[in-house]
Amino acid sequence: VSVLLFQAKSCICHMCGAHLNRLHSCLYCVFFGCFTKKHIHEHAKTKRHNLAIDLLYGGIYCFMCQDYIYDKDMEQIAKEEQRKAWKIQAFTPTVVSHYQCTMTGIGEKYSTWEPTKRELELLRHNPKRRKITTNCTIGLRGLINLGNTCFMNCIVQALTHTPLLRDFFLSDRHKCEMQSPSSCLVCEMSTLFQEFYSGHRSPHIPYRLLHLVWTHARHLAGYEQQDAHEFLIAALDVLHRHCKGDDNGKKANNPNHCNCIIDQIFTGGLQSDVTCQVCHGVSTTIDPFWDISLDLPGSSTPFWPLSPGSDGSVVNGESHVSGTTTLTDCLRRFTRPEHLGSSAKIKCSGCHSYQESTKQLTMKKLPIVACFHLKRFEHSAKLRRKITTYVSFPLELDMTPFMASSKESRMNGQYQQPTDSLNNDNKYSLFAVVNHQGTLESGHYTSFIRQHKDQWFKCDDAIITKASIKDVLDSEGYLLFYHKQFLEYE
C-alpha cells in the first residue's frame, strides 16, 4: 500500500479530480476513485480489481462481497502510516499538506478504538454482557406527553428506530459544530438514543427536545396539537442545519448538496420531465426531497387509476381486493404523465414559444429511508376535513417501477413488470407507521415501530404494547417509513 501511495502523484479521483467524496485507492494498481460517485466501482468492474482501501477510514472494500472486510495486517499498516505522518507533521508543518495526503491516506480521520488499562480492568470485573435476542426489548421506551405533544413523540419513536440513524448515533459519530452545543438538536438526538438504548424501562421525559424544537422551529411552539408530518420536516431541517453548524446549514439550503447524516439517509432526488406537445422536446429538472406526499381517493383531487382490478393480481406484494386502494396505486398516480392544459402553458426551449405540455415525476435517486405522507388532511377555501380512505401498504416495497430508469417500461400509464425488478438497491422494508385517530379538530397520534424483523410494538406516548403484523397493516396509515433492505444491518 505504501508503495502505491508513494507512486501516486496526487490523491485525487482519477475520473473527476475531486479529493473528497470518500476517496478509495485500488489495491491492484495506482488508481484513486470516488466511492460516493461510484468511480472506484466503475474501475473495479472494468479492470476486475476487486479490492480497494478507504482513504478516510482505512477499511478494505471488496467489490465481490459489496461490503467492507476486516484485515488485521492492514489495520497494523494503517497505524504505522499514521504514526509516520504525525511525526512528519510535527517537524515540518508547513510542507505537510501533500505528504499528509499520501501518508495519512489510510485512516486519516478515524483510528481504531482500543481499551485503556482502566477499561480493561473494568471489563474483567464486569464479565456480564448484554445479549441482543429476538425477544430483547432494549431500545423500547415510552415518552411522556408534555401537553398535546403526541405528534412529536411518534416521530421521535420513528427516528430512534431508523436502523442506519441508530447505528450512527450509537457509534458516537456525531461531532458537534455548533458554537453552543446545548442548543444543538443533533446533540439532543444523540442523548435520546443513549436514553432509549440504556436499558431503562421508565418513560423518558423529552422536555429538552421540546424546548429546542420550540427555539429553532417557532411555528411549532405552544401547546396546541401540531401536525406530525409538519414536525418531521421541521425536525429534519433543523437537524440538517445543526449538523453543519446552523449558519452553514442555512447556506446549504439545498440538502441534496449536503453530506450530513440526515441528508445521507433521508434525501432523495425527484426527476420532473416536462414534454412539449408540439416538438416533443423534454425539459428535465431534479429536486431533492425528504418525503413523498401522496393524494388519496376521496379527496377533491381526481384520483387515477385504481389497482389493475379485482382479479386478485399482486403488485409489490399487495393483494388487490376489490375497491381497496394500495400504496402502489398512490405511487402509480404520483408518477403518471399529467397533461398541464392550456391554462398552464410553459415556454418551450425548442419551439421558443408557449405550448401545452405534459409533466411526469419519477425517482432519480432513492433515499435510504423513504417516507410516504398520505394526505389525509384536506385544507381548501371551501373544505377542511380528514380523509379516512383505507390504503393497503406492504411490509416490503420495490421502488424499481417508479424510477426514472424504468420510465420506458410504463406505456400509457399501464403497469409493466420491469426487467430489472431483481435490483436489491431499490427494495425497502417497512419499519415504522404513524397513525392519526380522531377528527381534524381533535385527534391523537400513535405509532407502530419494528424492533426486530416481524416484531412490532405500538407506541402510545408513555405506553408501549406488543403488536401483530396484522395490527400494523390494518392501521389507517398517515406516515409510512421504509428502509433500504441491504443497509438495515438487522
Side-chain angles (χ1 to χ4, degrees):
V1 177
S2 300
V3 173
L4 291 175
L5 287 171
F6 274 123
Q7 287 178 354
K9 293 180 179 178
S10 58
C11 289
I12 59 172
C13 177
H14 286 187
M15 295 186 75
C16 69
H19 65 279
L20 300 174
N21 296 324
R22 292 291 297 279
L23 209 60
H24 281 55
S25 171
C26 176
L27 288 180
Y28 294 80
C29 66
V30 182
F31 180 88
F32 298 106
C34 299
F35 193 86
T36 4
K37 294 184 178 179
K38 299 203 171 183
H39 293 154
I40 190 70
H41 297 71
E42 294 172 28
H43 173 77
K45 187 176 179 181
T46 306
K47 300 290 186 179
R48 295 187 179 178
H49 292 177
N50 291 317
L51 292 175
I53 185 166
D54 184 339
L55 297 187
L56 188 63
Y57 301 103
I60 298 176
Y61 190 85
C62 174
F63 290 94
M64 294 185 74
C65 304
Q66 295 187 356
D67 202 356
Y68 288 93
I69 56 177
Y70 174 74
D71 184 270
K72 190 174 182 180
D73 293 334
M74 274 305 306
E75 184 181 44
Q76 191 59 39
I77 291 171
K79 288 179 183 176
E80 288 300 320
E81 296 299 331
Q82 275 188 330
R83 287 192 193 103
K84 291 177 188 175
W86 289 334
K87 286 180 182 178
I88 293 291
Q89 188 172 10
F91 290 111
T92 54
T94 56
V95 295
V96 96
S97 57
H98 174 72
Y99 194 86
Q100 211 175 8
C101 184
T102 56
M103 294 302 290
T104 62
I106 306 171
E108 177 186 354
K109 199 171 182 180
Y110 300 98
S111 56
T112 308
W113 172 82
E114 290 183 2
T116 63
K117 289 182 179 179
R118 169 65 176 157
E119 288 166 337
L120 287 170
E121 191 65 26
L122 288 170
L123 287 169
R124 274 193 288 271
H125 286 88
N126 296 275
K128 189 177 179 181
R129 300 289 181 268
R130 189 184 297 279
K131 188 177 181 182
I132 305 297
T133 64
T134 53
N135 296 320
C136 181
T137 57
I138 187 170
L140 291 173
R141 197 165 181 187
L143 291 165
I144 296 293
N145 191 317
L146 299 173
N148 285 327
T149 57
C150 56
F151 69 94
M152 177 181 76
N153 290 348
C154 64
I155 297 301
V156 169
Q157 292 287 0
L159 293 178
T160 51
H161 289 88
T162 301
L164 213 59
L165 197 63
R166 173 199 63 202
D167 295 346
F168 174 85
F169 280 110
L170 292 185
S171 58
D172 198 24
R173 295 282 297 280
H174 170 55
K175 308 298 178 189
C176 187
E177 296 189 24
M178 294 283 286
Q179 290 184 348
S180 173
S182 61
S183 66
C184 177
L185 189 63
V186 192
C187 287
E188 180 57 26
M189 281 300 297
S190 184
T191 303
L192 266 178
F193 273 90
Q194 298 298 328
E195 288 287 345
F196 266 72
Y197 290 89
S198 64
H200 296 307
R201 294 178 177 271
S202 59
H204 179 67
I205 307 172
Y207 66 94
R208 291 192 71 252
L209 177 70
L210 183 64
H211 170 71
L212 285 173
V213 170
W214 284 3
T215 302
H216 298 290
R218 295 193 178 277
H219 62 290
L220 295 174
Y223 289 101
E224 297 84 8
Q225 178 65 273
Q226 303 287 350
D227 179 47
H229 173 246
E230 188 176 4
F231 176 82
L232 170 67
I233 300 303
L236 291 179
D237 177 59
V238 176
L239 287 168
H240 152 72
R241 288 194 278 111
H242 287 192
C243 278
K244 292 293 181 184
D246 201 20
D247 288 337
N248 289 332
K250 287 175 182 175
K251 292 172 187 174
N253 54 9
N254 183 347
N256 208 28
H257 296 158
C258 176
N259 64 347
C260 75
I261 187 61
I262 297 303
D263 290 297
Q264 285 186 51
I265 292 177
F266 292 95
T267 301
L270 188 65
Q271 180 168 316
S272 172
D273 294 317
V274 177
T275 306
C276 174
Q277 294 298 283
V278 176
C279 70
H280 303 293
V282 180
S283 173
T284 299
T285 56
I286 299 171
D287 296 306
F289 68 88
W290 276 330
D291 73 316
I292 296 293
S293 293
L294 300 170
D295 289 316
L296 301 179
S299 68
S300 56
T301 306
F303 193 86
W304 174 97
L306 287 178
S307 306
S310 55
D311 55 357
S313 60
V314 175
V315 178
N316 249 325
E318 297 169 329
S319 297
H320 291 268
V321 181
S322 178
T324 300
T325 304
T326 69
L327 177 61
T328 302
D329 292 331
C330 299
L331 285 167
R332 289 173 61 223
R333 183 193 184 281
F334 183 78
T335 56
R336 83 194 192 284
E338 178 187 5
H339 185 66
L340 296 180
S342 57
S343 59
K345 289 183 177 181
I346 295 175
K347 189 172 184 179
C348 175
S349 57
C351 302
H352 302 292
S353 60
Y354 287 91
Q355 304 290 350
E356 291 190 22
S357 56
T358 59
K359 179 181 178 180
Q360 185 171 14
L361 299 174
T362 49
M363 309 293 167
K364 178 65 176 178
K365 174 184 174 291
L366 289 173
I368 291 172
V369 169
C371 175
F372 300 106
H373 165 226
L374 304 183
K375 293 162 71 172
R376 296 201 173 275
F377 303 126
E378 189 169 42
H379 302 271
S380 65
K382 298 180 179 179
L383 204 59
R384 290 185 75 253
R385 61 180 180 134
K386 180 184 174 182
I387 300 165
T388 58
T389 306
Y390 173 69
V391 176
S392 169
F393 49 90
L395 284 174
E396 296 187 344
L397 178 69
D398 186 358
M399 288 294 289
T400 305
F402 313 108
M403 296 293 292
S405 56
S406 302
K407 183 179 174 181
E408 62 274 8
S409 71
R410 290 190 307 276
M411 299 175 63
N412 301 320
Q414 296 302 310
Y415 177 84
Q416 289 186 348
Q417 185 70 23
T419 56
D420 58 344
S421 61
L422 297 177
N423 185 353
N424 289 327
D425 285 3
N426 302 337
K427 290 186 178 178
Y428 288 80
S429 294
L430 184 73
F431 72 92
V433 178
V434 171
N435 287 296
H436 178 271
Q437 291 87 38
T439 63
L440 193 66
E441 291 76 21
S442 174
H444 179 61
Y445 287 101
T446 59
S447 59
F448 287 106
I449 57 95
R450 187 191 64 189
Q451 173 71 350
H452 302 288
K453 186 173 175 62
D454 298 335
Q455 187 171 337
W456 288 81
F457 290 86
K458 182 178 180 180
C459 304
D460 187 350
D461 288 331
I463 301 170
I464 307 244
T465 53
K466 191 130 174 56
S468 67
I469 293 176
K470 186 177 186 302
D471 293 332
V472 178
L473 298 182
D474 285 349
S475 65
E476 191 176 80
Y478 178 49
L479 299 174
L480 310 175
F481 293 84
Y482 286 85
H483 199 286
K484 275 196 174 182
Q485 288 181 358
F486 77 101
L487 287 170
E488 284 183 302
Y489 303 118
E490 285 288 346

